[in-house]
Amino acid sequence: MSALSLALAALAPSGTGAPAPFTERKLEVAQGRSLFLRCAGEGPVTVLFDSGGSDWSIVWTALQQRIAGRARACAYDRAGLGRSDPAPGPRTPFAIASDLHAMIDGAGFRQPVVLVGHSLGGFHVKLAAALFPQDVAGLVLLDPSEERSWERTRGPLGAKHGVANAARAELADRSFFPALVEKYRGCAERAKAAGGLDPAAPDWRRCADPDRPALGDEANAERRRIHSTPTYQAAQYSEIAWCVYADPSADGVYARLFRPGMLGNKPVAVLTHQEEQSDDPVDRVNAEQGLLLHRETAALSRRGTHRLVTGSGHYIQLDQPEVAARAILAVVEKVGRQPAPPRN
């Protein structure tokens, strides 16, 4: 186990006993290309974590320790992020879900698998559960990104908050995304030209996720090191440029795929963060939209649940890890009482 993993294991919350040791390996998902996997604990169910945009397995370590006493808790790095090899071609949601499927096969997960996803990772695991149902016995989604956001919510948001306020929110959203893609394109180009980015540079914050105090000094130092690399910046840009919000041509597929009840009886838990309510009408529209979308996603399963996590920011797993852990362990318990899905 690496020195970093030893430091990460030490982040086990008080009252959980001795930290579970991490095991690390790289699994080949395509010829000459491997993904990094870090696991802790044992149990009849495997919990596999997928991170949000610009993140990788390092953000899950403390939560893994909370789960490790009841299940095998594994987190992986998507292609080009953390310690995984970069991948050729655009990093579309389908490419990412396909990598996830290949990794589950390569890891030899024979017991039931519960997928946990945050933000963009939430959409990745939802898509993987729909495309590769034999892989997945349950889902936990923390503030998941959603497909066809405005098509699904434009009517009810306009009716409740007024057409003008809903339109302002939609137009601001549609203006924000191209600017975000352009920002990360510039980051990737500068990193490639300079052989990396300098964390002391004035524009560093534009290109890197900020330090997360809950992760500890060593993990944040590792994040800064990874953020500075051209490989990371290229992968970050490709994931954003090709993410669920970027490709309207896939919307018809998503509309057919994600139907109420399509996940059957597989347990699904969706958590939505709720901060102090804003007086800005556009902020209110955006908050309401998240609730509507996440309730619909919970309804993809006949055993889907939705919960508001008050007083938390977007990183529920760091702001309120005990709430995230309870949701995951509840799904683990339900999965443990049902037969594992057949594997092809």
Side-chain angles (χ1 to χ4, degrees):
M1 185 164 60
S2 68
L4 176 62
S5 286
L6 287 169
L8 294 173
L11 293 174
S14 60
T16 59
F22 284 110
T23 60
E24 301 173 344
R25 56 177 168 155
K26 293 188 79 172
L27 295 163
E28 189 172 66
V29 294
Q31 187 171 5
R33 184 168 68 83
S34 297
L35 300 180
F36 174 79
L37 181 71
R38 178 187 285 117
C39 297
E42 294 294 337
V45 175
T46 295
V47 178
L48 181 59
F49 297 88
D50 193 1
S51 309
S54 303
D55 263 327
W56 61 96
S57 61
I58 203 167
V59 302
W60 296 109
T61 50
L63 192 53
Q64 283 179 267
Q65 290 293 324
R66 289 178 181 267
I67 303 301
R70 302 266 296 278
R72 187 183 186 201
C74 299
Y76 85 106
D77 299 343
R78 293 190 300 275
L81 304 178
R83 292 164 61 182
S84 287
D85 299 333
R91 301 307 298 155
T92 64
F94 176 65
I96 292 169
S98 297
D99 269 4
L100 186 57
H101 167 64
M103 193 190 62
I104 289 172
D105 269 357
F109 294 152
R110 293 303 174 217
Q111 60 265 54
V113 177
V114 172
L115 295 182
V116 179
H118 170 236
S119 197
L120 279 179
F123 182 74
H124 299 154
V125 301
K126 183 173 83 169
L127 182 61
L131 297 178
F132 307 104
Q134 70 277 12
D135 290 348
V136 183
L139 287 176
V140 181
L141 308 176
L142 309 179
D143 256 2
S145 300
E146 295 281 353
E147 78 288 348
R148 302 171 46 250
S149 298
W150 288 103
E151 286 74 6
R152 291 161 59 190
T153 62
R154 188 180 293 117
L157 289 174
K160 181 173 181 178
H161 297 276
V163 172
N165 286 331
R168 286 170 58 202
E170 180 172 356
L171 291 172
D173 199 22
R174 294 186 183 280
S175 297
F176 170 78
F177 183 73
L180 185 70
V181 172
E182 183 64 17
K183 179 183 81 169
Y184 285 129
R185 182 192 64 77
C187 292
E189 289 181 350
R190 288 196 299 276
K192 181 178 180 181
L197 299 178
D198 180 3
D203 64 350
W204 168 257
R205 288 180 178 271
R206 288 178 53 80
C207 300
D209 196 57
D211 283 359
R212 304 284 174 184
L215 295 177
D217 292 341
E218 291 195 52
N220 280 310
E222 175 72 359
R223 292 173 88 238
R224 289 192 295 273
R225 184 188 70 79
I226 295 291
H227 285 151
S228 70
T229 64
T231 297
Y232 167 87
Q233 291 294 333
Q236 175 179 244
Y237 165 57
S238 186
E239 283 196 353
I240 297 299
W242 292 93
C243 75
V244 60
Y245 304 123
D247 184 12
S249 67
D251 284 352
V253 179
Y254 296 149
R256 294 190 299 273
L257 190 61
F258 296 118
R259 307 176 312 279
M262 52 82 64
L263 292 175
N265 284 321
K266 293 179 180 179
V268 173
V270 184
L271 276 59
T272 305
H273 88 280
Q274 186 178 52
E275 299 179 90
E276 186 174 343
Q277 197 166 43
S278 170
D279 292 331
D280 187 318
V282 171
D283 289 344
R284 288 176 178 267
V285 170
N286 290 331
E288 179 78 11
Q289 183 183 54
L291 288 176
L292 293 174
L293 294 168
H294 292 169
R295 286 169 183 159
E296 277 194 2
T297 287
L300 294 177
S301 167
R302 290 188 289 273
R303 288 203 292 169
T305 62
H306 174 256
R307 176 177 175 176
L308 272 176
V309 184
T310 58
S312 175
H314 182 48
Y315 275 73
I316 297 171
Q317 67 269 38
L318 298 180
D319 294 342
Q320 296 202 26
E322 70 286 351
V323 174
R326 284 198 298 269
I328 294 167
L329 290 173
V331 170
V332 166
E333 183 179 357
K334 292 173 184 177
V335 164
R337 296 198 301 261
Q338 65 187 23
R343 297 187 64 83
N344 293 339

